[in-house]
Structures are given as C-alpha cells and as structure tokens.
Amino acid sequence: MSKMTKSKMDHNIYALFDFALNRKKGFSLSDFLGLPKVQAASILQYRDKINDFETKKRNILYLKTHFDKPVIVNDDLDLVAYADGLHVGQEDVLRFDTSIEKSISYIRGKIGSKILGLSTHNQEEIEVANNLDLNYIGLGAYRNTSTKDVSNILGEKVSDLARLSRHDVAVIGGVKSTDRIAGVRYLVLGSDLYED
C-alpha cells in the first residue's frame, strides 16, 4: 500500500489503548473513549498483556461498538476476527516463521484486507518493511516512555527515517499531541491521551 497524500506536517492521532495504563489511571473503557484526544483519533490500537482471551474479546467488541473508526489489536492474531486489523512487533512477528517476509505473508493471508502494521526501529527494518504487504509501519521510540521499556531512542532522526518508508508512518514512544514531525502520518499517543 502506498502512502496517502498528506502534507508534511498534517498528522492524525493514533490512540494507543494500553489496558495496564488505563487501569493504573483508574479509567473504564467508557472513560477512555470520552477523552478528547481519543475522540479526535482516526485509529485505535488495543494493547492488553494482562487479560484472558474472552475479556480481551469483550473489550475489543465494546471499543468497536463505541468508537466509529478502525480498532486494531496488538500482537494477537486470534483477536483480529473481532477487530479491523493487527499491529505486530519485530519480535512477535517471528512467532509465525523465522522469515519476516513469510510471517507477514502468512498474517496477510489470515487477515485479508484488514489493516496490518509492523514496528520498526531503524533503517534496516524500514527497508525490509518496504517490501512487505503492510498498511503502515510503527517507528520509534521517538522519546523515552513510561509505558514500555525502550532501548533505542530515535529523537530527531525519526523524520529522516520516516522518509525512507514507502508505507504510512506512525511515530511512537513518548509522542505528544503537540509534536510536529515531518514525514509521518500518525502520532501514536499513549500516556499523552490522558493529558489536557
């Protein structure tokens, strides 16, 4: 899929729902969906490393019912049946095959035309992703973040790396809604969704 035509600094909000963070904040799913930045988002990713399958499924169906834009799941191919797509990390994608190309081909075969995103962290991973059947890449971490352990901070290099991608780019990791980052389509907001 090619990049959509957008100006260099015209960003969409990509809301990252992290179940553990949301619970820590004392929010319900309904409270989360009421946050102004979530309401402004054009896509939502459901990340849940805590709950069992049925609870995750129920939560995704709730989000799909109450959020009128795409809801994708993080790393769980079995949950894609209830969502609009899947985002996979570099490590998680290799659960399906030792070849990233074969893994993405397998996933694409399972999810059809649903949204598929892949995490990237450097030029080499972006160049590999350019030859994969993806809708977008996640690129980061932009800054240090409290929601995930990160060892590779890209900072100002993120714009140059984003320009290498033939896919839309979703910059992640400590991103704030006020950031203006050339070459990216999505600002992935996690903790910042809860800030005024």
Side-chain angles (χ1 to χ4, degrees), residues 20-139:
L21 175 63
N22 200 63
R23 182 166 68 178
K24 183 178 172 185
K25 297 278 187 186
F27 279 60
S28 67
L29 287 174
S30 177
D31 294 336
F32 177 80
L33 290 174
L35 293 169
K37 292 175 189 174
V38 174
Q39 292 177 350
S42 58
I43 189 168
L44 187 152
Q45 181 188 141
Y46 178 83
R47 182 197 298 167
D48 185 346
K49 306 289 186 184
I50 297 171
N51 288 305
D52 61 34
F53 181 85
E54 286 303 318
T55 303
K56 292 176 185 179
K57 175 182 162 185
R58 197 168 42 253
N59 288 345
I60 291 164
L61 292 173
Y62 180 89
L63 292 170
K64 290 263 314 149
T65 301
H66 296 90
F67 184 75
D68 64 354
K69 294 166 202 116
V71 175
I72 64 173
V73 295
N74 178 269
D75 293 332
D76 195 332
L77 188 57
D78 294 332
L79 288 169
V80 176
Y82 311 102
D84 300 303
L86 177 72
H87 181 89
V88 288
Q90 286 285 322
E91 301 80 23
D92 297 297
V93 74
L94 296 176
R95 288 181 297 162
F96 305 103
D97 196 284
T98 56
S99 157
I100 194 165
E101 292 84 359
K102 288 180 182 176
S103 289
I104 292 296
S105 180
Y106 172 80
I107 294 168
R108 180 55 77 194
K110 291 288 188 185
I111 72 170
S113 63
K114 290 185 176 191
I115 298 167
L116 180 56
L118 175 69
S119 296
T120 62
H121 310 93
N122 56 51
Q123 182 174 341
E124 180 183 348
E125 290 174 355
I126 293 168
E127 289 171 352
V128 169
N130 281 341
N131 297 310
L132 302 175
D133 187 6
L134 303 169
N135 297 93
Y136 74 93
I137 61 165
L139 177 61

